[in-house]
Amino acid sequence: MSFEMLKSILDAAPGIASLCLFHVMGEPTLYPRLTDAVAYASKSGLDVCVTTNGNRMDVHLMDALYAAGVKEIIISLQTPDENSFNLRGAKGLTFSSYAANVTLLARTFLMDGLTMAHPEARLTVSFLSSPLRRLIIPVASSVSIADTSAALARYLSHWAEAVLKDSPHEGRLRDVNKEIKRARAYKKNSIHLAKNLFFTTRIAGDWRKPDGEKVVGARIGYCPGIVDNFGILYNGDYVFCCADYDGATTTANFNDMAIMDYLNSGLVQETVRAFRRFSVINPYCRRCLGDKSFLNSIVKQVGSILYFKVAGRLH
């Protein structure tokens, strides 16, 4: 996205949006003017969050983003060990080097100098779990990331020790492990490690289906997508799905239609009203919330309501 378009979007966003996230299934640290973008959004009165896989993030960039006004950096660790990391197909990157960098970032965040300079800054390390994989809902049976709450607890405890041990916050380990024991693989969890440093977990999903794959479409279900947020792609196309990186839900472009006009448009409003009735009317959403077989599709539709409206709340 050109920086001029980015500024125009951010100028129009206050009063409409309260939070700006610099990604739609993309890696924001690839953007050459990321710190400038964060600073501009922050000065516009928006809270700013950057979600990154952490590979290109280093201590200097992290500090620069906080100095620019970012409120939260989320590192999508997702795959907490070597076996699950291999699922990502990362080329030229070993799990050991990746894990060492994530650990360094978390430990650096806890340094007194950084937290004192940016007292409202928050760092979150995000993990995945796959408790329902044997039902192929919501992920393929070959994907295994913390299938059980016990496995999730082992991962979280290992990472908590790596971050906190031999640090000024090592005394927090006992309380942190108590929180970890209460975490469950079938819901979202938030673990408070130390001042403004958190682990979060969520269930892995396969919401997006490849084109051409036969799917039993959803008729009921829920998605917080356009109900709570919308996206603008690099070329200005509006999208209302956090997984829509190529514009499948696009009906307008920022260069041709103001944000409020887009949000008030018939298709968007109809989709929002339908989701609030737990009805799915948009063809893209029906495919996303559907599945390969009738039974799996039914379970996934009901599961979307239970997960996003009940179990999906952070505890």
Side-chain angles (χ1 to χ4, degrees):
M1 180 180 288
S2 73
F3 197 68
E4 291 306 310
M5 180 190 289
L6 178 63
K7 290 195 295 183
S8 295
I9 292 170
L10 294 173
D11 287 340
I16 299 172
S18 59
L19 175 66
C20 177
L21 302 99
F22 286 112
H23 72 284
V24 179
M25 296 281 291
E27 175 50 50
T29 59
L30 292 170
Y31 191 64
R33 299 191 64 180
L34 179 60
T35 54
D36 294 335
V38 167
Y40 197 91
S42 181
K43 290 177 182 177
S44 298
L46 297 166
D47 288 338
V48 184
C49 174
V50 169
T51 298
T52 171
N53 61 32
N55 179 37
R56 293 170 54 90
M57 182 69 69
D58 59 25
V59 171
H60 300 293
L61 178 56
M62 182 174 70
D63 187 54
L65 290 172
Y66 286 128
V70 75
K71 287 293 182 69
E72 181 176 17
I73 295 175
I74 300 175
I75 300 176
S76 288
L77 172 63
Q78 298 185 357
T79 48
D81 66 358
E82 189 160 5
N83 287 336
S84 56
F85 180 77
N86 290 335
L87 296 170
R88 300 173 80 159
K91 296 181 180 179
L93 179 65
T94 64
F95 174 72
S96 59
S97 62
Y98 177 62
N101 188 52
V102 173
T103 303
L104 174 64
L105 292 170
R107 290 176 69 89
T108 301
F109 178 81
L110 292 176
M111 292 172 57
D112 289 341
L114 193 150
T115 54
M116 288 176 65
H118 315 297
E120 295 184 2
R122 174 173 169 143
L123 180 67
T124 298
V125 182
S126 177
F127 298 82
L128 292 176
S129 62
S130 57
L132 305 175
R133 71 183 182 91
R134 290 181 178 84
L135 296 175
I136 322 180
I137 306 166
V139 293
S141 57
S142 60
V143 176
S144 176
I145 310 170
D147 295 345
T148 65
S149 296
L152 180 64
R154 287 195 297 271
Y155 289 144
L156 294 174
S157 293
H158 168 79
W159 278 91
E161 183 171 333
V163 171
L164 295 178
K165 195 169 182 180
D166 299 324
S167 82
H169 301 273
E170 185 173 2
R172 283 276 305 152
L173 266 173
R174 184 175 180 179
D175 290 337
V176 168
N177 280 319
K178 287 181 181 179
E179 287 191 49
I180 289 173
K181 287 181 180 179
R182 294 193 292 268
R184 295 294 177 262
Y186 53 80
K187 67 178 183 68
K188 289 184 178 181
N189 302 276
S190 180
I191 311 297
H192 178 213
L193 272 75
K195 179 177 172 58
N196 292 352
L197 175 63
F198 295 83
F199 286 168
T200 60
T201 79
R202 61 180 176 84
I203 298 175
D206 67 339
W207 308 109
R208 174 123 183 183
K209 304 294 187 303
D211 291 337
E213 184 177 288
K214 187 177 180 181
V215 170
V216 178
R219 297 290 172 172
I220 65 169
Y222 184 81
C223 176
I226 189 60
V227 177
D228 294 337
N229 58 71
F230 66 98
I232 303 178
L233 302 185
Y234 76 98
N235 61 354
D237 282 348
Y238 293 109
V239 293
F240 57 72
C241 174
C242 63
D244 184 11
Y245 55 84
D246 56 3
T249 61
T250 294
T251 58
N253 186 282
F254 174 79
N255 295 303
D256 305 318
M257 182 180 288
I259 294 175
M260 281 304 298
D261 290 339
Y262 166 70
L263 295 176
N264 286 324
S265 63
L267 178 61
V268 172
Q269 287 298 311
E270 289 168 9
T271 303
V272 169
R273 285 193 292 267
F275 271 132
R276 286 176 173 160
R277 300 191 306 269
F278 303 122
S279 175
V280 185
I281 62 169
N282 186 276
Y284 178 91
C285 302
R286 284 181 172 174
R287 183 173 179 81
C288 179
L289 291 172
D291 214 321
K292 296 178 183 178
S293 71
F294 177 78
L295 178 60
N296 280 7
S297 181
I298 290 295
V299 175
K300 190 172 178 183
Q301 292 173 65
V302 174
S304 71
I305 298 172
L306 294 175
Y307 180 70
F308 287 119
K309 296 297 285 185
V310 183
R313 298 190 183 98
L314 281 174
H315 296 285

